[in-house]
Amino acid sequence: MPDFTNRDPRTPEFWDQRFDGAFTPWDRGGVPAQLAAWLASAPAGAALIPGCGSGYELQAFCAAGWNATAIDFSPSAVVAAQRAVGPWRARVVEADFFAYLPAQPLDLIYERAFLCAMPRDMWPRVVQRWAQLLPEDGLLLGYFFFDNNPKGPPFGAERERLLQLMSAHFDLEQEQPVGDSIAVFQGKERWMAWRRKKAL
Ligand SMILES: C[S@@+](CC[C@H](N)C(=O)[O-])C[C@H]1O[C@@H](n2cnc3c(N)ncnc32)[C@H](O)[C@@H]1O
């Protein structure tokens, strides 16, 4: 691994250094199979892709008719995504997930390697923000990483901890193993769909 000066994944500079140094082991270089299959059969709506990195999935959402926006707080990630998504580059926005306000109400948030990019003490804030951004019955859909290595990123979840964190706001509606993981996530990620509960 290159010798990076920034070791704090809470900062955009951490991620800038890794994109600028072409050290992106989480980057799968395309759209994962379960998302592609899901998009082929689901009705379109408004979607947000937080922490999009290279953002290949934005293209898949837009091509399937979704009004999708991809955000990232790292300027270098935004440049990478704008390059990767071609005609949809205007849908990539530089923004911090915790401050971003969508231009229209959302139906769906897509998750991949965003929760696990953040130290575990930030997770309650992430779940809270997902819940704030989604309406009742909205979907949080994508890939969740399970591991107990204290070091990261990626920071993996313990299953019970994730279920406990999510249970105040979401019901787990679908879960499957993943057959096309890249090396860092191999055998440790699950495809999951979480339905936003009625707000209390
Ligand atoms: C491990 S990468 C994953 C990128 C992409 N989701 C993927 O699957 O390839 C994590 C990304 O989240 C972004 N990120 C981390 N914290 C963020 C925040 N608070 N707001 C927006 N983006 C954030 C980073 O800049 C980085 O691009």
Side-chain angles (χ1 to χ4, degrees):
M1 186 174 85
D3 194 16
F4 296 115
T5 54
N6 187 312
R7 300 197 173 274
D8 183 359
R10 298 165 203 261
T11 64
E13 294 75 23
F14 174 97
W15 299 100
D16 279 341
Q17 288 188 3
R18 281 139 187 93
F19 278 99
D20 294 347
F23 180 78
T24 57
W26 61 83
D27 191 320
R28 88 178 311 288
V31 178
Q34 277 139 315
L35 175 65
W38 187 87
L39 284 173
S41 63
L48 179 68
I49 306 177
C52 63
S54 298
Y56 311 101
E57 295 94 332
L58 176 64
Q59 203 162 10
F61 272 98
C62 293
W66 285 74
N67 179 0
T69 304
I71 63 168
D72 204 294
F73 73 171
S74 149
S76 300
V78 168
V79 169
Q82 286 173 337
R83 256 191 229 124
V85 303
W88 309 105
R89 62 196 314 279
R91 306 267 187 100
V92 183
V93 176
E94 185 184 316
D96 186 325
F97 170 68
F98 297 104
Y100 178 74
L101 293 173
Q104 70 283 313
L106 297 175
D107 300 299
L108 180 146
I109 295 176
Y110 174 70
E111 162 62 26
R112 181 182 183 272
F114 176 60
L115 184 66
C116 71
M118 272 171 282
R120 296 176 178 93
D121 64 358
M122 291 181 72
W123 290 7
R125 275 183 74 203
V126 178
V127 175
Q128 189 69 37
R129 192 71 192 133
W130 281 336
Q132 284 169 351
L133 288 168
L134 284 170
E136 182 185 334
D137 279 341
L139 257 190
L140 170 70
L141 181 90
Y143 296 86
F144 290 78
F145 175 59
F146 294 90
D147 193 34
N148 56 13
N149 187 341
K151 288 193 176 167
F155 298 98
E158 279 171 9
R159 189 182 175 79
E160 282 315 308
R161 173 78 178 126
L162 183 70
L163 291 175
Q164 183 206 353
L165 268 174
M166 298 292 283
S167 62
H169 302 295
F170 293 93
D171 289 317
L172 180 57
E173 198 171 88
Q174 204 189 105
E175 181 178 358
Q176 295 167 1
V178 176
D180 63 344
S181 301
I182 60 169
V184 276
F185 302 126
Q186 186 77 47
K188 295 183 176 178
E189 66 177 338
R190 312 273 297 169
W191 164 260
M192 290 176 143
W194 300 86
R195 184 75 64 182
R196 177 74 170 94
K197 288 181 178 177
K198 198 188 275 280
L200 295 176

